[in-house]
Amino acid sequence: MSNMQEVAARGGRLILVTDAAGAQAAGDLPIATLTLPTMLATVAPLVYAVPVQLIAYHNRGADGHRCRSAAQSRKIGNGE
């Protein structure tokens, strides 16, 4: 919760991917909440990764920046 409050205080927009208990604890802090069923802690990272990756994919370039592959970033970053 403290990390979310810090991001919100700096003007960040939060999209929360959590279970029902986490959604209730977050209140109205996030702009959107995706509530997933409660599951085993060993499986949760795998299941939660799917919606997070989809959100990142569909949000790419939304702020006007071009997305580059890691190889292109290294090449440009090294001045080559």
Side-chain angles (χ1 to χ4, degrees):
M1 281 299 296
S2 65
N3 289 341
M4 289 188 348
Q5 291 169 344
E6 184 176 337
V7 169
R10 295 178 186 210
R13 297 178 302 170
L14 299 167
I15 300 174
L16 180 63
V17 180
T18 186
D19 60 4
Q24 186 177 13
D28 61 349
L29 197 56
I31 62 168
T33 303
L34 177 59
T35 306
L36 298 177
T38 303
M39 61 193 76
L40 294 173
T42 56
V43 178
L46 298 172
V47 176
Y48 280 41
V50 174
V52 170
Q53 288 293 321
L54 288 170
I55 290 168
Y57 174 77
H58 288 287
N59 195 38
R60 74 192 190 292
D63 58 359
H65 291 90
R66 273 189 21 187
C67 295
R68 291 182 255 174
S69 70
Q72 287 175 331
S73 295
R74 279 194 306 274
K75 188 174 183 180
I76 292 170
N78 291 336
E80 297 177 4

